[in-house]
Amino acid sequence: MNRINKKLKEDKKLLSIYFSAGYPSLNDTVSIIENLEKNGVDMIEIGLPFSDPLADGPTIQASSTQALKNGMSSDILFDQLKDIRKTVSIPLIIMGYFNPMLQYGVEAFCKKCQETGIDGLIIPDLPVDIYNDQYKAIFQKYGLINVFLITPQTSEDRIRFIDSISKGFIYMVSSASVTGSSAGFGGEQTSYFKRIADMNLNNQQIVGFGISNNETFNQATKFAKGAIIGSAFIKHLSTHGVEEIKTFTNSILKND
C-alpha cells in the first residue's frame, strides 16, 4: 500500500508541510525533511522550483526563485533524495509544475520518483482530463498517487469526476486566491468545507492555502482529514533557520 494511503487511515488529523527544495540553501532539503518528520509532521510536499509558479503567492515565489538561484533542478533534487528512505518513513510528495516534468520526460520522472521513494505528485497545471487520458497509466505503473486540486468554484460534476480517478486525497484549496494570502477562515469558507464533506467523496480531503497557525489548522480540519501549511512555514524557515523547525510544528500542533 502507498504510504499516503496508510497515513490517511490513521485516526488523527494530518499536518502536511510544503517547502521549496533547495531553500534556504541548496543542500538544506534532506535536513528539513528529517526535522519535519522528527517533530510530528505527517506528510511533506517538496516543492520543485519553477520560474513561473502560477498559484504561488509572494513567499513561496521568493523561496522558489532563491532555490533556482541556488542551483536547484530535478536532477539535483533526485540526487539529494536518493537515500531519503534510509531515514524518513512518512509520505513524500513532489509538488511542481508540469513543464519541468515534461522536459525531464514524464515516464523518466515517474520512474525516478519510484526509485527515490516518492509517493505522489501534485501538478496544479496538469489538467485532469489530460492526465486521465495520457498519463494515468504511467503514474500507476510507478505506484504514484496524483493529487488533484479543487476550489470553491469547482463544480460538483467536476469534483465527482476528480474523486472517481483519485486514489489518495483531494487537495481542497480554501479560496480562489494564491497561497499565503489569507488570515483565518470566514463563514463562506467554512460552509465550503462542510459542503464538500457532505458530498461523502471516496477520497478524503486535505485543505491548503491560508493555514498559518493552530487556530486555522483546527478550522481547516474540522471537516477535513488534514491541512497543508506552506507560506507560514517558509517564513519561519527564512527567519529562524532549519534548527528551529520544532518551534514551528509545536505552535501548530500545540505540543509542549
Side-chain angles (χ1 to χ4, degrees):
M1 185 188 287
N2 187 292
R3 291 180 195 90
I4 294 170
N5 296 122
K6 281 185 187 168
K7 181 58 72 173
L8 290 166
K9 287 179 180 296
E10 291 184 13
D11 185 22
K12 61 179 293 197
K13 298 295 185 181
L14 304 182
L15 171 60
S16 181
I17 295 284
Y18 168 95
F19 76 99
S20 299
Y23 178 85
S25 299
L26 181 63
N27 294 314
D28 283 337
T29 310
V30 170
S31 59
I32 290 171
I33 293 169
E34 290 174 344
N35 264 284
L36 286 170
E37 179 175 43
K38 193 168 66 181
N39 289 296
V41 170
D42 297 291
M43 194 150 48
I44 298 171
E45 292 173 20
I46 305 160
L48 181 60
F50 182 52
S51 54
D52 190 22
L54 301 173
D56 297 328
T59 301
I60 290 176
Q61 278 196 28
S63 68
S64 189
T65 300
Q66 185 58 52
L68 289 171
K69 283 181 183 168
N70 292 343
M72 180 49 71
S73 66
S74 300
D75 279 324
I76 288 174
L77 178 59
F78 286 130
D79 188 57
Q80 288 179 347
L81 297 178
K82 66 181 184 295
D83 295 321
I84 197 71
R85 286 304 173 193
K86 292 178 180 175
T87 55
V88 172
S89 61
I90 60 173
L92 299 176
I93 298 170
I94 289 179
M95 183 168 186
Y97 292 86
F98 194 49
N99 194 279
M101 297 176 195
L102 209 51
Q103 288 180 337
Y104 197 93
V106 176
E107 180 147 11
F109 193 93
C110 289
K111 185 172 188 284
K112 204 73 181 167
C113 284
Q114 184 190 53
E115 290 169 359
T116 310
I118 297 297
D119 304 290
L121 294 170
I122 302 172
I123 314 165
D125 60 339
L126 174 59
V128 182
D129 313 78
I130 291 175
Y131 164 78
N132 195 44
D133 294 341
Q134 298 180 29
Y135 300 110
K136 185 178 176 183
I138 298 172
F139 278 59
Q140 289 179 341
K141 178 179 174 181
Y142 295 102
L144 294 170
I145 285 173
N146 196 21
V147 177
F148 298 102
L149 286 72
I150 63 169
T151 74
Q153 285 70 43
T154 309
S155 70
E156 181 170 339
D157 284 351
R158 194 73 171 165
I159 292 169
R160 294 206 181 275
F161 175 63
I162 286 170
D163 188 45
S164 73
I165 64 166
S166 296
K167 295 280 184 265
F169 66 89
I170 291 171
Y171 188 130
M172 187 158 68
V173 176
S174 65
S175 69
S177 61
V178 295
T179 57
S181 58
S182 178
F185 298 120
E188 195 177 322
Q189 284 161 316
T190 305
S191 64
Y192 157 61
F193 298 157
K194 186 175 186 307
R195 173 169 65 84
I196 303 300
D198 289 345
M199 286 177 71
N200 294 313
L201 301 173
N202 295 318
N203 293 270
Q204 297 182 85
Q205 301 89 54
I206 296 183
V207 180
F209 291 45
I211 297 117
S212 59
N213 52 31
N214 177 258
E215 182 190 3
T216 46
F217 177 77
N218 289 333
Q219 284 179 324
T221 55
K222 184 178 179 186
F223 296 106
K225 178 64 177 174
I228 300 154
I229 300 179
S231 297
F233 175 68
I234 288 170
K235 282 177 186 168
H236 182 87
L237 209 51
S238 304
T239 310
H240 303 287
V242 179
E243 300 74 25
E244 289 298 321
I245 284 176
K246 183 177 184 177
T247 316
F248 182 81
T249 56
N250 282 357
S251 73
I252 304 299
L253 300 169
K254 290 295 185 190
N255 293 333
D256 295 324

